[in-house]
């Protein structure tokens, strides 16, 4: 999904002073511009006419400063990011103009208060491109490029944005420890170094920070920390003793990224939203649960922000979707996800409603990703990073009797928890449900004989979102 044309949002007449020194003012003379990398390091540029400079022009300067080879130039993109909103920009976008329109974008795509919107200001960031295939990452040889990708993946792991199981985050933490301090430290030195750096530097904050939840109920904070420390050092010891020849940094970086690739939401653009909780108690009280929605080239993933696990994960060949606008005062934008399910042994269609002002962006990105695959392979089955992508018309290993395989309920945080969702189940075509006619990436009960077709996607009329 590409960005809206700047002219669709009226320019903001007032302009605030930048808190991060990026693109807060426009003059014709040379101006300093800071392009932030993940982790708050930055590339310092001196730019002529910053008010009119495009992302494409800035890209050349940043790649030159970071010594990024041309072969990897598509791995990264420019983003405007703040705590309230993240947008990936198109090459033709002019960051300054979008900064002038930032408050309009926040009013349109967030539920933030007027006070929060008035104080919010974006920074210009250079981050991974949502549309860069994971398979191409494995071909990168340049250590600087791999380290940039590693830094971003590590931040997402530590922030809990990529839910993963204990064995995964322990292994990744040990790899980070080895990359930072080298291998071969004896137990005493490794323990001292870990305690100096703190566990929170290597393990997700919700695990190592003592923020409550399951870990706090199972054991006290001291015992938990000791257990986490022991497991991390044990994984580090295995890295130090495996093989006669120590691995090069590029090999360790690629090993870290390869592990992250096993997480289906690696490389996603993330959106905020809410879903309805199932009614509970005698009074059947319900409510809404805050979720992150990750959308990648492969599919859609709905994640519980509090519990740090996946609620629903669907590849594009497993879902249908639509976006509905508010019909009245107090109504919300809704992204509808439709997928196969089962009720008391009966095959049904399930509808999940995701309430979000960013539903329009999510729907556009899904459509754009589906269209990318459809245009690339003519609707035939293709394989990307080992997964079958959207547009598939034939069967797969998970199908029986022409029906898509069920979503398995497992204990892993990566697996879907369909039974915890408050969904609408039905067995007809859904026309009477708010007259919703979902866009079909695949048929509901059987595969279509012919590949599905899609209307042309107007990529120049939408906003990229991360």
């Amino acid at each position: 999904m590409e960005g809206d044309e700047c002219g669709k949002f009226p320019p903001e007449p007032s302009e605030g002073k930048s808190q991060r020194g990026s693109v807060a003012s426009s003059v014709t003379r040379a101006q300093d511009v800071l392009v932030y990398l993940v982790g708050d390091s930055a590339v310092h540029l001196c730019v002529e006419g910053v008010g009119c400079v495009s992302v494409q022009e800035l890209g050349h300067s940043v790649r030159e400063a970071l010594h990024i080879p041309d072969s990897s130039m598509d791995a990264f993109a420019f983003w405007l990011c703040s705590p309230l909103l993240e947008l990936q920009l198109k090459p033709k976008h002019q960051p300054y103009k979008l900064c002038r329109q930032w408050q309009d974008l926040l009013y349109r795509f967030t539920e933030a208060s007027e006070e929060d919107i008035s104080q919010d200001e974006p920074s210009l960031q250079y981050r991974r491109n949502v549309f860069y295939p994971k398979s191409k990452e494995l071909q990168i040889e340049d250590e600087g490029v791999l380290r940039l990708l590693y830094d971003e993946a590590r931040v997402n792991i530590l922030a809990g944005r990529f839910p993963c199981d204990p064995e995964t985050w322990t292994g990744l933490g040990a790899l980070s420890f080895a990359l930072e301090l080298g291998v071969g430290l004896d137990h005493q030195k490794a323990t001292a170094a870990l305690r100096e750096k703190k566990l929170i530097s290597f393990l997700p904050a919700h695990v190592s920070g003592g923020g409550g939840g399951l870990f706090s109920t199972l054991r006290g904070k001291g015992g938990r920390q000791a257990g986490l420390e022991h497991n991390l050092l044990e994984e580090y010891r295995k890295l130090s003793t495996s093989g006669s020849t120590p691995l090069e940094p590029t090999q360790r970086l690629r090993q870290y990224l390869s592990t992250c690739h096993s997480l289906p939401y690696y490389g996603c653009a993330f959106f905020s939203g809410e879903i309805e909780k199932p009614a509970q108690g005698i009074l059947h009280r319900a409510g809404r649960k805050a979720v992150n929605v990750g959308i990648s080239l492969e599919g859609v993933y709905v994640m519980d922000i509090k519990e740090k696990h996946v609620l629903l994960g669907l590849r594009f060949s497993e879902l249908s979707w639509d976006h509905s606008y508010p019909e009245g005062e107090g109504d919300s934008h809704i992204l509808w996800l439709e997928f196969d399910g089962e009720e008391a042994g009966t095959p049904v269609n399930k509808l999940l409603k995701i309430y979000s002002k960013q539903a329009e962006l999510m729907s556009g990105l899904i459509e754009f990703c589906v269209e990318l695959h459809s245009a690339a392979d003519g609707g035939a089955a293709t394989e990307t990073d080992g997964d079958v992508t959207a547009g598939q018309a034939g069967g797969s290993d998970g199908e029986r009797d022409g029906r898509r395989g069920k979503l398995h309920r497992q204990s892993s945080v990566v697996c879907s928890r369909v039974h915890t969702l408050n969904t609408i189940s039905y067995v007809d075509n859904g026309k009477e449900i708010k007259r919703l006619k979902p866009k079909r990436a695949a048929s509901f009960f059987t595969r279509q004989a012919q590949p599905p077709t899609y209307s042309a996607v107007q990529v120049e009329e939408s906003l990229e979102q991360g």
Side-chain angles (χ1 to χ4, degrees):
M1 179 173 56
E2 297 275 293
D4 264 335
E5 295 298 324
C6 298
K8 298 196 78 173
F9 301 98
E12 176 63 33
S14 62
E15 75 188 358
K17 186 176 181 181
S18 175
Q19 298 173 0
R20 299 189 70 180
S22 51
V23 285
S25 62
S26 173
V27 288
T28 56
R29 61 184 176 83
Q31 284 285 292
D32 291 336
V33 173
L34 290 181
V35 179
Y36 286 87
L37 308 176
V38 174
D40 272 353
S41 59
V43 177
H44 187 179
L45 302 176
C46 188
V47 180
E48 294 279 352
V50 68
C52 299
V53 69
S54 69
V55 163
Q56 187 170 17
E57 293 168 318
L58 282 177
H60 177 77
S61 299
V62 171
R63 290 193 299 272
E64 188 177 66
L66 296 175
H67 307 291
I68 294 177
D70 291 343
S71 59
S72 301
M73 62 182 298
D74 293 334
F76 302 98
F78 284 89
W79 295 67
L80 282 179
C81 301
S82 80
L84 300 180
L85 185 64
E86 299 178 355
L87 299 174
Q88 181 175 314
L89 308 183
K90 297 197 311 184
K92 67 180 181 180
H93 273 142
Q94 297 173 340
Y96 165 74
K97 291 186 177 180
L98 285 179
C99 283
R100 289 288 301 273
Q101 300 160 22
W102 192 248
Q103 289 192 6
D104 297 283
L105 295 172
L106 295 180
Y107 278 115
R108 179 175 175 182
F109 295 121
T110 77
E111 300 284 355
S113 66
E114 288 190 18
E115 181 180 0
D116 288 340
I117 288 176
S118 66
Q119 296 177 358
D120 189 71
E121 186 172 354
S123 62
L124 184 62
Q125 297 187 13
Y126 195 64
R127 292 167 39 179
R128 190 186 187 279
N129 182 0
V130 171
F131 303 116
Y132 193 71
K134 291 185 289 187
S135 56
K136 287 190 175 182
E137 280 193 9
L138 301 178
Q139 303 170 15
I140 295 174
E141 300 289 341
D142 185 85
E143 182 177 346
V145 174
L146 288 173
R147 191 163 290 277
L148 287 173
L149 294 169
Y150 158 78
D151 287 340
E152 184 169 344
R154 179 172 174 267
V155 165
N156 284 319
I157 290 291
L158 296 181
R161 210 173 201 186
F162 292 170
C164 51
D165 295 315
E167 59 269 23
T168 302
W169 45 250
T170 301
L172 291 173
L175 279 170
S176 290
F177 191 79
L179 280 164
E180 188 167 332
L181 298 170
V183 295
L185 294 179
D186 61 36
H187 182 74
Q188 184 176 358
K189 290 182 179 179
T191 301
L194 178 58
R195 290 175 179 173
E196 180 183 355
K197 295 286 185 179
K198 307 294 184 184
L199 277 172
I200 200 170
S201 299
F202 304 103
L203 299 180
H206 68 281
V207 172
S208 60
L214 176 61
F215 293 97
S216 293
T217 60
L218 292 178
R219 60 177 76 172
K221 181 177 179 181
R224 183 183 68 252
Q225 294 282 340
L228 294 172
E229 182 181 285
H230 170 78
N231 293 338
L232 182 60
L233 290 173
E234 180 61 22
E235 285 298 316
Y236 172 75
R237 184 190 63 79
K238 293 177 182 178
L239 291 176
S240 300
T241 57
S242 62
S244 56
T245 304
L247 295 180
E248 296 292 328
T250 53
Q251 294 174 296
R252 296 279 187 210
L253 293 168
R254 194 175 287 110
Q255 190 176 357
Y256 191 100
L257 291 172
S258 295
T259 302
C260 289
H261 287 186
S262 67
L263 304 173
Y265 25 82
Y266 176 82
C268 279
F270 288 94
F271 306 78
S272 60
E274 293 180 328
I275 61 174
E276 293 176 343
K277 295 180 181 179
Q280 296 178 337
I282 299 177
L283 300 179
H284 296 283
R285 290 177 177 172
R288 290 186 183 179
K289 179 195 297 284
V291 295
N292 273 337
V293 182
I295 300 175
S296 71
L297 291 173
E298 285 81 41
V300 181
Y301 306 91
V302 182
M303 290 163 275
D304 190 313
I305 291 178
K306 181 180 178 181
E307 300 297 333
K308 309 296 182 186
H309 60 218
V310 175
L311 296 169
L312 180 66
L314 298 168
R315 290 182 293 183
F316 292 128
S317 57
E318 300 172 319
L319 65 85
S320 302
W321 84 98
D322 209 343
H323 160 235
S324 60
Y325 291 87
E327 295 182 353
E329 188 71 24
D331 290 346
S332 302
H333 287 264
I334 298 175
L335 178 72
W336 301 78
L337 295 181
E338 184 176 33
F339 55 96
D340 292 341
E342 189 175 280
E343 292 286 346
T346 302
V348 298
N349 294 32
K350 286 184 173 289
L351 270 175
L352 176 66
K353 296 192 292 184
I354 302 175
Y355 300 89
S356 174
K357 275 193 170 182
Q358 298 172 14
E360 180 183 357
L361 297 174
M362 290 187 264
S363 178
L365 180 54
I366 293 171
E367 187 164 6
F368 185 70
C369 289
V370 170
E371 184 70 16
L372 278 179
H373 289 299
S374 179
D377 53 45
T382 62
E383 292 189 5
T384 303
D385 308 315
D387 291 334
V388 181
T389 60
Q392 181 173 350
S396 69
D397 293 339
E399 294 176 26
R400 291 178 176 84
D401 302 325
R403 180 172 169 78
R404 293 193 293 277
K406 298 177 184 177
L407 296 170
H408 297 287
R409 301 177 183 178
Q410 302 181 27
S411 59
S412 170
V413 300
V414 177
C415 297
S416 296
R417 289 163 170 75
V418 180
H419 60 289
T420 68
L421 298 175
N422 186 10
T423 58
I424 301 171
S425 298
Y426 64 99
V427 294
D428 54 25
N429 61 11
K431 289 184 179 180
E432 73 276 15
I433 301 179
K434 289 194 174 182
R435 299 184 299 279
L436 181 69
K437 298 181 181 180
K439 304 170 185 178
R440 301 190 175 192
S443 62
F444 298 142
F445 295 109
T446 59
R447 296 286 184 182
Q448 296 175 350
Q450 297 297 325
T453 58
Y454 305 92
S455 59
V457 179
Q458 303 298 323
V459 298
E460 71 278 8
E461 295 295 331
S462 59
L463 264 172
E464 273 181 359
Q465 158 76 19

